[in-house]
Structures are given as structure tokens and as C-alpha cells.
Amino acid sequence: MTDDRVTIRLTADEALVLSHWLEKLQMTDLSRVVDDPAVWAPVHRIAGTLDKTLPALFAPDYAQRLEDARARLRPEG
């Protein structure tokens, strides 16, 4: 098997909202949510990559940025 890579492109809003959700997911007992331990490695890799590229959770405006991103991503109506 070759080491082919897959690239996923997200908007900044999508990345921020997904990163926040993954952070919450990782704080739970993953085995209760993800029934296959093989999935944990990619979940951690994605979360780590997002953590390196997004504003820090402890940034003073993080909560506002997150809420603004959520509002832009929610379907209208």
C-alpha cells in the first residue's frame, strides 16, 4: 500500500467550528462515541492540525470568533 495523502479543504469558519467540536469530542470518552479505535488516530491528527493553524482556545476573542463562525455556517430559516 502506498502512503497516499488526502487533502481536505475547509473555510476558516468550518475549521474553527470543527476544531471546537473535535476538542469537545476528545474531552469525552472516545470509546463511547467512536466504536472503532482505528478512527481515533485520524481524529487526533485532524484536531492537532487544526489546533496548530487556528486562533488559540484561550485567545480573548475566541468565543466571539466561534459564535460568529457558527452563525455564518448555520442554514438560514
Side-chain angles (χ1 to χ4, degrees):
M1 179 174 194
T2 63
D3 186 28
D4 294 332
R5 302 280 180 171
V6 173
T7 301
I8 299 171
R9 298 177 60 92
L10 301 171
T11 66
D13 286 345
E14 291 168 336
L16 184 58
V17 170
L18 179 60
S19 175
H20 185 78
W21 182 82
L22 286 171
E23 182 70 26
K24 287 173 53 176
L25 176 66
Q26 291 180 98
M27 298 298 281
T28 67
D29 179 5
L30 275 179
S31 65
R32 293 185 57 193
V33 179
V34 180
D35 63 350
D36 183 356
V39 176
W40 300 353
V43 165
H44 290 304
R45 179 183 294 262
I46 292 167
T49 300
L50 291 172
D51 284 348
K52 292 177 197 169
T53 60
L54 295 170
L57 178 64
F58 301 110
D61 62 343
Y62 179 83
Q64 187 60 53
R65 284 184 179 197
L66 178 60
E67 190 49 44
D68 291 347
R70 286 176 169 161
R72 287 188 292 268
L73 290 173
R74 286 187 185 113
E76 292 186 29

Coordinates of all heavy atoms in Angstrom, one line a residue:
M1 N 0.8 -1.2 0.0 CA 0.0 0.0 0.0 C 0.9 1.2 0.0 O 1.8 1.3 0.7 CB -0.9 0.0 1.2 CG -1.8 1.2 1.3 SD -2.9 1.0 2.7 CE -4.1 2.2 2.3
T2 N 0.6 2.2 -0.8 CA 1.3 3.4 -0.9 C 0.9 4.4 0.2 O -0.2 4.2 0.8 CB 1.2 4.1 -2.2 OG1 -0.2 4.5 -2.4 CG2 1.6 3.2 -3.4
D3 N 1.7 5.4 0.5 CA 1.3 6.4 1.5 C 0.7 7.6 0.8 O 1.1 8.7 0.9 CB 2.6 6.8 2.2 CG 2.3 7.7 3.4 OD1 1.2 7.6 4.0 OD2 3.1 8.6 3.8
D4 N -0.4 7.3 0.2 CA -1.2 8.4 -0.5 C -1.8 9.3 0.6 O -2.3 8.8 1.6 CB -2.3 7.8 -1.4 CG -1.7 7.1 -2.6 OD1 -0.6 7.4 -3.0 OD2 -2.4 6.1 -3.0
R5 N -1.8 10.6 0.3 CA -2.4 11.5 1.3 C -3.7 12.1 0.7 O -3.9 12.1 -0.5 CB -1.4 12.7 1.5 CG -0.1 12.3 2.0 CD -0.1 12.1 3.4 NE 1.2 11.7 3.9 CZ 1.5 11.6 5.2 NH1 0.6 11.9 6.1 NH2 2.7 11.3 5.6
V6 N -4.6 12.5 1.6 CA -5.8 13.1 1.2 C -5.8 14.5 1.8 O -5.4 14.7 2.9 CB -7.0 12.3 1.8 CG1 -8.3 13.0 1.6 CG2 -7.1 10.9 1.3
T7 N -6.2 15.4 1.0 CA -6.3 16.8 1.4 C -7.7 17.2 1.6 O -8.5 17.0 0.7 CB -5.6 17.8 0.4 OG1 -4.2 17.3 0.2 CG2 -5.6 19.2 0.8
I8 N -8.0 17.8 2.7 CA -9.4 18.3 2.9 C -9.3 19.8 3.0 O -8.4 20.4 3.8 CB -9.9 17.8 4.3 CG1 -10.0 16.2 4.2 CG2 -11.3 18.4 4.6 CD1 -10.4 15.6 5.5
R9 N -10.1 20.5 2.3 CA -10.0 22.0 2.3 C -11.3 22.5 3.1 O -12.4 22.1 2.8 CB -10.0 22.5 0.9 CG -8.7 22.1 0.2 CD -8.7 22.6 -1.2 NE -8.7 24.0 -1.4 CZ -7.7 24.8 -1.4 NH1 -6.5 24.3 -1.3 NH2 -7.8 26.2 -1.5
L10 N -11.1 23.4 4.0 CA -12.1 23.9 4.8 C -12.0 25.5 4.8 O -10.9 26.0 4.7 CB -12.0 23.5 6.3 CG -12.1 22.0 6.6 CD1 -11.8 21.7 8.0 CD2 -13.5 21.4 6.2
T11 N -13.1 26.1 4.9 CA -13.1 27.5 5.1 C -12.6 27.8 6.5 O -12.6 26.9 7.4 CB -14.5 28.2 5.0 OG1 -15.3 27.8 6.0 CG2 -15.1 27.9 3.6
A12 N -12.2 29.0 6.8 CA -11.8 29.4 8.2 C -12.9 29.1 9.2 O -12.7 28.6 10.3 CB -11.3 30.8 8.3
D13 N -14.1 29.4 8.8 CA -15.3 29.2 9.7 C -15.5 27.7 9.9 O -15.7 27.3 11.1 CB -16.5 29.8 9.1 CG -16.6 31.3 9.2 OD1 -15.8 31.9 9.9 OD2 -17.5 31.9 8.5
E14 N -15.4 26.9 8.9 CA -15.6 25.5 9.0 C -14.5 24.9 9.9 O -14.8 24.1 10.8 CB -15.6 24.8 7.7 CG -16.8 25.1 6.8 CD -16.6 24.7 5.4 OE1 -15.4 24.5 4.9 OE2 -17.6 24.5 4.7
A15 N -13.3 25.3 9.7 CA -12.2 24.8 10.5 C -12.3 25.2 12.0 O -12.1 24.3 12.9 CB -10.9 25.4 10.0
L16 N -12.7 26.4 12.3 CA -12.9 26.8 13.7 C -14.0 26.0 14.4 O -13.8 25.5 15.5 CB -13.2 28.3 13.7 CG -13.3 28.9 15.1 CD1 -12.0 28.7 15.9 CD2 -13.6 30.4 15.0
V17 N -15.1 25.9 13.7 CA -16.3 25.2 14.3 C -15.9 23.7 14.5 O -16.2 23.1 15.5 CB -17.5 25.4 13.5 CG1 -18.7 24.4 13.9 CG2 -18.0 26.8 13.5
L18 N -15.3 23.1 13.5 CA -14.9 21.7 13.6 C -13.9 21.5 14.6 O -13.9 20.5 15.4 CB -14.4 21.2 12.2 CG -13.9 19.7 12.2 CD1 -15.0 18.8 12.5 CD2 -13.3 19.4 10.8
S19 N -12.9 22.4 14.7 CA -11.9 22.3 15.8 C -12.5 22.3 17.1 O -12.1 21.5 18.0 CB -10.9 23.4 15.6 OG -9.9 23.4 16.6
H20 N -13.4 23.2 17.4 CA -14.1 23.3 18.7 C -14.8 22.0 19.0 O -14.7 21.5 20.1 CB -15.0 24.5 18.7 CG -15.6 24.7 20.0 ND1 -14.9 25.3 21.0 CD2 -16.8 24.4 20.5 CE1 -15.7 25.4 22.1 NE2 -16.9 24.8 21.8
W21 N -15.5 21.5 18.0 CA -16.3 20.2 18.2 C -15.3 19.1 18.5 O -15.6 18.2 19.4 CB -17.2 19.9 17.0 CG -18.0 18.7 17.2 CD1 -19.2 18.6 17.8 CD2 -17.7 17.4 16.7 NE1 -19.6 17.3 17.7 CE2 -18.7 16.6 17.0 CE3 -16.6 16.9 15.9 CZ2 -18.8 15.2 16.7 CZ3 -16.7 15.6 15.6 CH2 -17.7 14.7 16.0
L22 N -14.3 19.0 17.7 CA -13.3 17.9 18.0 C -12.7 18.0 19.3 O -12.4 17.0 20.0 CB -12.2 17.9 16.9 CG -12.7 17.4 15.5 CD1 -11.6 17.7 14.5 CD2 -13.0 15.9 15.6
E23 N -12.4 19.2 19.8 CA -11.8 19.4 21.1 C -12.8 18.8 22.2 O -12.4 18.1 23.1 CB -11.6 20.9 21.4 CG -11.0 21.2 22.7 CD -9.5 20.7 22.8 OE1 -8.8 20.6 21.8 OE2 -9.1 20.4 24.0
K24 N -14.1 19.2 22.0 CA -15.1 18.6 23.0 C -15.2 17.1 22.9 O -15.3 16.4 23.9 CB -16.4 19.3 22.7 CG -16.5 20.7 23.1 CD -17.8 21.4 22.7 CE -19.0 20.7 23.1 NZ -20.2 21.5 22.7
L25 N -15.1 16.6 21.7 CA -15.2 15.2 21.5 C -14.0 14.5 22.2 O -14.2 13.5 22.8 CB -15.2 14.8 20.0 CG -15.1 13.3 19.6 CD1 -16.4 12.6 20.0 CD2 -14.9 13.2 18.1
Q26 N -12.8 15.0 22.0 CA -11.7 14.4 22.7 C -11.7 14.5 24.2 O -11.0 13.7 24.8 CB -10.4 15.1 22.1 CG -10.1 14.7 20.7 CD -8.9 15.4 20.1 OE1 -7.9 14.7 20.1 NE2 -9.0 16.6 19.8
M27 N -12.5 15.4 24.7 CA -12.6 15.5 26.2 C -13.6 14.5 26.7 O -13.7 14.3 28.0 CB -13.0 16.9 26.6 CG -12.1 18.0 26.1 SD -10.5 17.9 26.9 CE -10.8 18.5 28.5
T28 N -14.3 13.8 25.9 CA -15.2 12.7 26.3 C -14.5 11.4 26.3 O -13.3 11.3 25.8 CB -16.4 12.7 25.4 OG1 -16.0 12.2 24.1 CG2 -17.1 14.0 25.3
D29 N -15.2 10.4 26.6 CA -14.7 9.0 26.5 C -14.9 8.6 25.0 O -16.0 8.3 24.6 CB -15.4 8.1 27.4 CG -15.0 6.6 27.3 OD1 -14.0 6.4 26.6 OD2 -15.6 5.8 28.0
L30 N -13.8 8.8 24.2 CA -14.0 8.5 22.8 C -14.6 7.1 22.5 O -15.3 7.0 21.5 CB -12.6 8.6 22.1 CG -12.2 10.0 21.7 CD1 -10.8 9.9 21.0 CD2 -13.1 10.6 20.7
S31 N -14.3 6.2 23.3 CA -14.8 4.8 23.0 C -16.4 4.8 23.1 O -17.0 3.9 22.5 CB -14.2 3.8 24.0 OG -14.6 4.1 25.3
R32 N -17.0 5.7 23.8 CA -18.4 5.8 23.8 C -19.0 6.4 22.5 O -20.2 6.1 22.2 CB -18.9 6.6 25.0 CG -18.6 5.9 26.3 CD -19.1 6.6 27.5 NE -20.6 6.8 27.3 CZ -21.3 7.6 28.0 NH1 -20.8 8.3 28.9 NH2 -22.6 7.6 27.8
V33 N -18.3 7.2 21.9 CA -18.8 7.9 20.7 C -18.2 7.2 19.4 O -19.0 7.1 18.4 CB -18.3 9.4 20.7 CG1 -18.8 10.1 19.5 CG2 -18.8 10.1 22.0
V34 N -17.0 6.8 19.4 CA -16.3 6.2 18.3 C -16.1 4.8 18.6 O -15.2 4.5 19.4 CB -15.0 7.0 17.9 CG1 -14.3 6.3 16.7 CG2 -15.3 8.4 17.7
D35 N -16.8 3.9 18.0 CA -16.8 2.5 18.3 C -15.6 1.7 17.7 O -15.3 0.6 18.1 CB -18.1 1.8 17.9 CG -18.3 1.8 16.4 OD1 -17.6 2.5 15.7 OD2 -19.3 1.1 16.0
D36 N -14.8 2.4 16.9 CA -13.7 1.7 16.3 C -12.4 2.5 16.6 O -12.2 3.6 16.1 CB -13.8 1.6 14.7 CG -12.7 0.9 14.0 OD1 -11.7 0.5 14.7 OD2 -12.8 0.8 12.8
P37 N -11.5 1.9 17.4 CA -10.3 2.6 17.8 C -9.4 3.0 16.6 O -8.6 4.0 16.8 CB -9.6 1.6 18.7 CG -10.6 0.7 19.2 CD -11.7 0.6 18.1
A38 N -9.6 2.4 15.5 CA -8.8 2.8 14.3 C -9.1 4.2 13.9 O -8.4 4.9 13.2 CB -9.1 1.8 13.2
V39 N -10.3 4.7 14.3 CA -10.7 6.1 13.9 C -10.1 7.1 14.8 O -9.9 8.3 14.4 CB -12.3 6.2 14.0 CG1 -12.8 7.6 13.7 CG2 -12.9 5.2 13.0
W40 N -9.6 6.7 15.9 CA -9.1 7.7 16.9 C -7.8 8.4 16.3 O -7.7 9.6 16.5 CB -8.7 7.1 18.2 CG -9.9 6.4 18.9 CD1 -11.2 6.5 18.5 CD2 -9.9 5.6 20.0 NE1 -12.0 5.8 19.4 CE2 -11.2 5.2 20.3 CE3 -8.9 5.2 20.9 CZ2 -11.6 4.4 21.4 CZ3 -9.2 4.4 21.9 CH2 -10.6 4.0 22.2
A41 N -6.9 7.7 15.6 CA -5.7 8.3 15.1 C -6.0 9.4 14.1 O -5.5 10.5 14.3 CB -4.8 7.2 14.5
P42 N -6.9 9.2 13.1 CA -7.2 10.3 12.2 C -8.0 11.5 12.9 O -7.7 12.6 12.6 CB -8.1 9.7 11.1 CG -8.3 8.3 11.5 CD -7.5 8.0 12.6
V43 N -8.8 11.2 13.9 CA -9.5 12.2 14.7 C -8.4 13.1 15.4 O -8.5 14.3 15.3 CB -10.5 11.6 15.7 CG1 -10.9 12.7 16.7 CG2 -11.7 11.1 15.0
H44 N -7.5 12.5 16.0 CA -6.4 13.2 16.7 C -5.5 14.0 15.8 O -5.1 15.1 16.0 CB -5.6 12.3 17.6 CG -6.3 11.7 18.8 ND1 -6.9 12.5 19.7 CD2 -6.5 10.4 19.2 CE1 -7.4 11.7 20.7 NE2 -7.2 10.5 20.3
R45 N -5.3 13.4 14.6 CA -4.4 14.1 13.6 C -5.1 15.3 13.1 O -4.5 16.4 13.0 CB -4.1 13.2 12.5 CG -3.2 13.9 11.4 CD -3.0 13.0 10.2 NE -2.1 11.9 10.6 CZ -0.8 11.8 10.4 NH1 -0.2 12.8 9.9 NH2 -0.1 10.8 10.8
I46 N -6.4 15.2 12.8 CA -7.2 16.4 12.3 C -7.2 17.5 13.3 O -7.0 18.6 13.1 CB -8.6 15.9 11.8 CG1 -8.5 15.1 10.6 CG2 -9.5 17.2 11.5 CD1 -9.8 14.3 10.2
A47 N -7.6 17.1 14.5 CA -7.7 18.0 15.6 C -6.3 18.7 15.9 O -6.3 19.9 16.1 CB -8.1 17.3 16.9
G48 N -5.2 18.0 15.9 CA -3.9 18.6 16.1 C -3.5 19.6 15.0 O -3.0 20.6 15.2
T49 N -3.9 19.2 13.7 CA -3.6 20.1 12.6 C -4.4 21.4 12.7 O -3.8 22.5 12.5 CB -3.9 19.4 11.3 OG1 -3.1 18.2 11.2 CG2 -3.6 20.3 10.1
L50 N -5.6 21.3 13.1 CA -6.5 22.4 13.2 C -6.0 23.3 14.4 O -5.9 24.5 14.3 CB -7.9 22.1 13.5 CG -8.6 21.5 12.2 CD1 -10.0 20.9 12.6 CD2 -8.7 22.4 11.1
D51 N -5.6 22.7 15.5 CA -5.1 23.4 16.6 C -3.8 24.3 16.3 O -3.7 25.4 16.8 CB -4.7 22.5 17.8 CG -5.9 21.9 18.5 OD1 -7.0 22.4 18.3 OD2 -5.7 21.0 19.3
K52 N -3.0 23.8 15.4 CA -1.8 24.5 15.0 C -2.1 25.7 14.1 O -1.3 26.6 14.0 CB -0.8 23.5 14.3 CG -0.2 22.5 15.2 CD 0.6 21.6 14.4 CE 0.9 20.3 15.1 NZ 1.5 19.3 14.3
T53 N -3.2 25.7 13.4 CA -3.5 26.7 12.4 C -4.5 27.7 12.8 O -4.7 28.7 12.1 CB -3.9 26.1 11.1 OG1 -5.1 25.3 11.3 CG2 -2.8 25.2 10.5
L54 N -5.2 27.5 13.9 CA -6.3 28.4 14.3 C -6.0 29.2 15.5 O -5.1 28.9 16.3 CB -7.6 27.5 14.6 CG -8.1 26.8 13.4 CD1 -9.2 25.8 13.8 CD2 -8.7 27.8 12.4
P55 N -6.8 30.2 15.8 CA -6.6 31.0 17.0 C -6.7 30.2 18.2 O -7.5 29.2 18.3 CB -7.7 32.1 17.0 CG -8.7 31.6 16.0 CD -8.0 30.7 15.0
A56 N -5.9 30.4 19.2 CA -5.9 29.6 20.4 C -7.2 29.7 21.2 O -7.9 30.7 21.2 CB -4.7 30.1 21.3
L57 N -7.5 28.6 21.8 CA -8.7 28.5 22.6 C -8.8 29.6 23.7 O -9.8 30.0 24.0 CB -8.8 27.1 23.2 CG -9.9 26.8 24.1 CD1 -11.2 26.8 23.4 CD2 -9.7 25.4 24.8
F58 N -7.6 30.0 24.1 CA -7.6 31.0 25.2 C -7.4 32.4 24.7 O -7.2 33.3 25.5 CB -6.4 30.6 26.2 CG -6.6 29.2 26.8 CD1 -5.8 28.2 26.4 CD2 -7.6 29.0 27.6 CE1 -5.9 26.9 26.9 CE2 -7.8 27.7 28.2 CZ -7.0 26.7 27.8
A59 N -7.5 32.6 23.4 CA -7.4 34.0 22.9 C -8.6 34.8 23.4 O -9.7 34.2 23.5 CB -7.5 34.0 21.3
P60 N -8.5 36.0 23.7 CA -9.5 36.8 24.3 C -10.8 36.9 23.5 O -11.9 37.0 24.0 CB -8.9 38.2 24.5 CG -7.5 38.2 24.0 CD -7.2 36.8 23.5
D61 N -10.7 36.8 22.2 CA -11.9 36.9 21.3 C -12.3 35.6 20.7 O -13.1 35.5 19.8 CB -11.6 37.9 20.2 CG -10.5 37.4 19.2 OD1 -9.7 36.5 19.6 OD2 -10.4 38.0 18.1
Y62 N -11.8 34.5 21.3 CA -12.1 33.1 20.8 C -13.6 32.9 20.8 O -14.2 32.4 19.8 CB -11.4 32.0 21.6 CG -11.7 30.6 21.1 CD1 -11.0 30.1 20.0 CD2 -12.7 29.9 21.7 CE1 -11.3 28.8 19.5 CE2 -13.0 28.6 21.2 CZ -12.3 28.1 20.2 OH -12.6 26.8 19.7
A63 N -14.3 33.1 21.9 CA -15.7 32.8 22.0 C -16.5 33.6 20.9 O -17.4 33.0 20.3 CB -16.2 33.1 23.4
Q64 N -16.1 34.8 20.7 CA -16.9 35.6 19.8 C -16.6 35.1 18.3 O -17.5 35.0 17.5 CB -16.5 37.1 19.9 CG -17.3 38.0 19.0 CD -18.8 37.9 19.3 OE1 -19.2 38.1 20.5 NE2 -19.7 37.6 18.3
R65 N -15.3 34.8 18.0 CA -15.0 34.3 16.7 C -15.8 33.0 16.5 O -16.3 32.8 15.4 CB -13.5 34.0 16.6 CG -12.7 35.2 16.4 CD -11.2 34.7 16.3 NE -10.3 35.8 16.1 CZ -9.1 35.7 15.6 NH1 -8.6 34.6 15.2 NH2 -8.4 36.8 15.4
L66 N -15.8 32.1 17.5 CA -16.5 30.8 17.3 C -18.0 31.1 17.0 O -18.6 30.5 16.1 CB -16.3 30.0 18.6 CG -17.0 28.6 18.6 CD1 -16.6 27.8 17.4 CD2 -16.8 27.9 19.9
E67 N -18.6 31.9 17.8 CA -20.0 32.2 17.7 C -20.3 32.9 16.3 O -21.3 32.5 15.6 CB -20.6 33.1 18.8 CG -22.1 33.2 18.8 CD -22.8 31.8 18.7 OE1 -22.4 30.9 19.3 OE2 -23.8 31.7 17.9
D68 N -19.5 33.8 15.9 CA -19.6 34.4 14.5 C -19.5 33.3 13.4 O -20.3 33.3 12.5 CB -18.6 35.5 14.3 CG -18.8 36.7 15.2 OD1 -19.9 36.8 15.8 OD2 -17.9 37.5 15.3
A69 N -18.6 32.4 13.6 CA -18.4 31.4 12.6 C -19.6 30.5 12.5 O -20.1 30.1 11.5 CB -17.1 30.6 12.9
R70 N -20.1 30.1 13.7 CA -21.3 29.2 13.8 C -22.5 29.9 13.1 O -23.2 29.3 12.3 CB -21.6 28.9 15.2 CG -20.7 28.0 15.9 CD -21.1 27.8 17.3 NE -20.4 26.7 17.9 CZ -20.3 26.5 19.2 NH1 -20.8 27.4 20.1 NH2 -19.7 25.5 19.7
A71 N -22.6 31.2 13.3 CA -23.8 31.9 12.8 C -23.7 32.0 11.2 O -24.7 31.8 10.6 CB -23.8 33.4 13.3
R72 N -22.5 32.2 10.7 CA -22.3 32.2 9.3 C -22.5 30.8 8.6 O -22.9 30.7 7.5 CB -20.9 32.7 8.9 CG -20.7 34.2 9.2 CD -19.4 34.7 8.6 NE -18.3 34.2 9.4 CZ -17.7 34.8 10.4 NH1 -18.2 36.0 10.8 NH2 -16.6 34.3 11.0
L73 N -22.3 29.8 9.4 CA -22.4 28.4 8.8 C -23.8 27.8 8.9 O -24.2 26.9 8.2 CB -21.4 27.5 9.5 CG -20.0 27.7 9.1 CD1 -19.0 26.8 10.0 CD2 -19.7 27.5 7.6
R74 N -24.6 28.3 9.9 CA -25.9 27.8 10.1 C -26.8 28.1 8.9 O -26.8 29.2 8.4 CB -26.6 28.4 11.3 CG -26.0 27.8 12.6 CD -26.7 28.3 13.8 NE -26.1 27.8 15.0 CZ -25.5 28.6 15.9 NH1 -25.4 29.9 15.7 NH2 -24.8 28.0 16.9
P75 N -27.6 27.1 8.4 CA -28.5 27.4 7.3 C -29.6 28.5 7.8 O -30.0 28.5 8.9 CB -29.2 26.1 7.1 CG -28.4 25.0 7.8 CD -27.6 25.8 8.9
E76 N -29.9 29.3 6.9 CA -30.9 30.3 7.2 C -32.3 29.7 7.2 O -32.6 28.8 6.4 CB -30.8 31.5 6.2 CG -29.5 32.3 6.3 CD -29.5 33.5 5.5 OE1 -30.6 34.0 5.2 OE2 -28.4 33.9 5.1
G77 N -33.2 30.2 8.0 CA -34.5 29.7 8.1 C -34.8 28.8 9.2 O -35.0 28.2 9.8

